[in-house]
Amino acid sequence: MIDIRIKKILDGAQGKITLDFDGQIPLGKTTTLFGPSGAGKTSFLKILAGLIKADQGFIKIKDEIWLDTDNRINLPPQQRSIGFVFQDYALFPNMTVRQNLEFAVGNNPQENLIQELIETTDLNAFSNKKPHQLSGGQQQRVALARAIARQPKLLLLDEPLSAIDQKMRIKLQGYLLKVQERFNPTTILVSH
């Protein structure tokens, strides 16, 4: 289980809101968070990733503590095993599709995995293109493939299929199920 207890005061459209979560998320499963815009869903993911600091909090995955504000523990993002698909994709503009995926795997080159991800996301024809040469849906597919390439313990998906047409959405939903079976990440999916 992932034990999460976090509080964070956020600036919402209507003023200050309190993001308050106290619960557990099962390991190796997909959990969906949904709600209206401005409810704090993206901020919740960013706290899990270590990109935003909680005002108070505790995050423990198995026996590894990522956050414990009482004991001044706050692992930086690079020390957390996460894959994150942001709403704005956050691709490296100076890198091709393939290079974005290669960067994600780091010093552990896995050409078979990279090629599988390129084929599964229908990016073969675009593997040598840079993000500015891709449509929004193509960029979103690259971001999803890059997050999966890291083979993370925690896969954070912030509306990962919103800019993709229905046919590709169904295909990628199927691949996400395969990823769940093959790599067994704990996945948190945000949707409206």
Side-chain angles (χ1 to χ4, degrees):
M1 291 298 241
I2 301 176
D3 294 309
I4 304 170
R5 293 186 309 275
I6 55 172
K7 284 190 181 181
K8 176 75 176 170
I9 304 297
L10 301 170
D11 290 318
Q14 307 299 321
K16 302 278 185 196
I17 62 169
T18 302
L19 173 61
D20 188 352
F21 184 93
D22 186 349
Q24 294 183 319
I25 294 176
L27 292 172
K29 304 288 184 192
T30 298
T31 301
T32 302
L33 298 177
F34 60 92
S37 295
K41 300 179 302 294
T42 297
S43 295
F44 178 76
L45 295 184
K46 288 181 177 180
I47 290 170
L48 292 176
L51 299 172
I52 295 177
K53 187 171 189 259
D55 297 331
Q56 293 177 285
F58 181 82
I59 301 170
K60 180 179 176 183
I61 297 183
K62 291 186 182 179
D63 58 352
E64 186 178 0
I65 297 174
W66 286 5
L67 175 70
D68 184 346
T69 55
D70 290 343
N71 291 304
R72 297 184 178 164
I73 296 170
N74 188 15
L75 291 183
Q78 62 271 24
Q79 291 182 6
R80 300 179 188 205
S81 178
I82 58 163
F84 201 138
V85 177
F86 295 90
Q87 286 181 14
D88 64 359
Y89 320 132
L91 299 174
F92 297 112
N94 59 325
M95 294 182 183
T96 65
V97 168
R98 180 172 295 281
Q99 290 169 333
N100 265 276
L101 299 183
E102 289 169 348
F103 181 84
V105 297
N107 295 330
N108 186 14
Q110 298 183 32
E111 184 55 36
N112 290 343
L113 174 62
I114 290 170
Q115 190 56 42
E116 178 186 351
L117 289 167
I118 287 172
E119 289 172 10
T120 301
T121 53
D122 284 339
L123 291 168
N124 278 321
F126 307 102
S127 65
N128 293 315
K129 302 279 185 189
K130 293 188 177 176
H132 75 275
Q133 297 172 301
L134 304 174
S135 71
Q138 291 162 346
Q139 289 180 35
Q140 196 163 35
R141 293 181 345 235
V142 175
L144 180 59
R146 186 179 66 184
I148 294 166
R150 295 183 52 85
Q151 299 179 47
K153 288 180 187 173
L154 187 58
L155 181 60
L156 306 174
L157 305 175
D158 196 356
E159 300 189 42
L161 307 174
S162 63
I164 298 174
D165 64 65
Q166 184 67 21
K167 183 177 176 183
M168 182 55 66
R169 181 176 296 136
I170 290 168
K171 183 173 182 173
L172 289 177
Q173 286 170 339
Y175 189 65
L176 284 172
L177 290 174
K178 289 180 189 173
V179 165
Q180 194 70 42
E181 292 169 6
R182 180 172 173 198
F183 301 112
N184 200 34
T186 301
T187 303
I188 301 176
L189 174 85
V190 163
S191 185
H192 278 127

